[in-house]
Amino acid sequence: MSATTTTRPAAEGHADAAPARRKSYKLLTGPDTPAFCQKVSDHLDDGYVLHGPPVITVVGGELHCAQAVLLPEDQR
């Protein structure tokens, strides 16, 4: 018995639609938690690179972070 694979269309309901263009710049923000670190790591794994240092501030007694990421020109 052989396994079969199916592919999903680029846009649901539009098999010939072009894939969505990824943003070349993103500013990731959130509370300083493992989930925020994972969000940054996921973007790095997806080809983004860090742009500048992280920014950390206190909001309501809780640390919040911001990190800019860029998608290199050859991956857009």
Side-chain angles (χ1 to χ4, degrees):
M1 179 178 271
S2 65
T4 59
T5 59
T6 59
T7 58
R8 298 176 86 181
E12 198 161 314
H14 300 283
D16 59 345
R21 184 168 176 247
R22 298 191 316 168
K23 293 180 184 339
S24 57
Y25 171 87
K26 290 185 179 185
L27 180 62
L28 309 175
T29 62
D32 184 20
T33 63
F36 177 77
C37 294
Q38 187 62 54
K39 184 189 315 185
V40 174
S41 293
D42 290 345
H43 278 78
L44 296 176
D45 290 345
D46 198 30
Y48 284 85
V49 295
L50 299 176
H51 180 69
V55 175
I56 301 173
T57 189
V58 178
V59 177
E62 185 177 66
L63 289 176
H64 281 253
C65 300
Q67 176 63 62
V69 293
L70 296 176
L71 191 60
E73 185 80 27
D74 64 342
Q75 294 190 38
R76 295 183 194 165

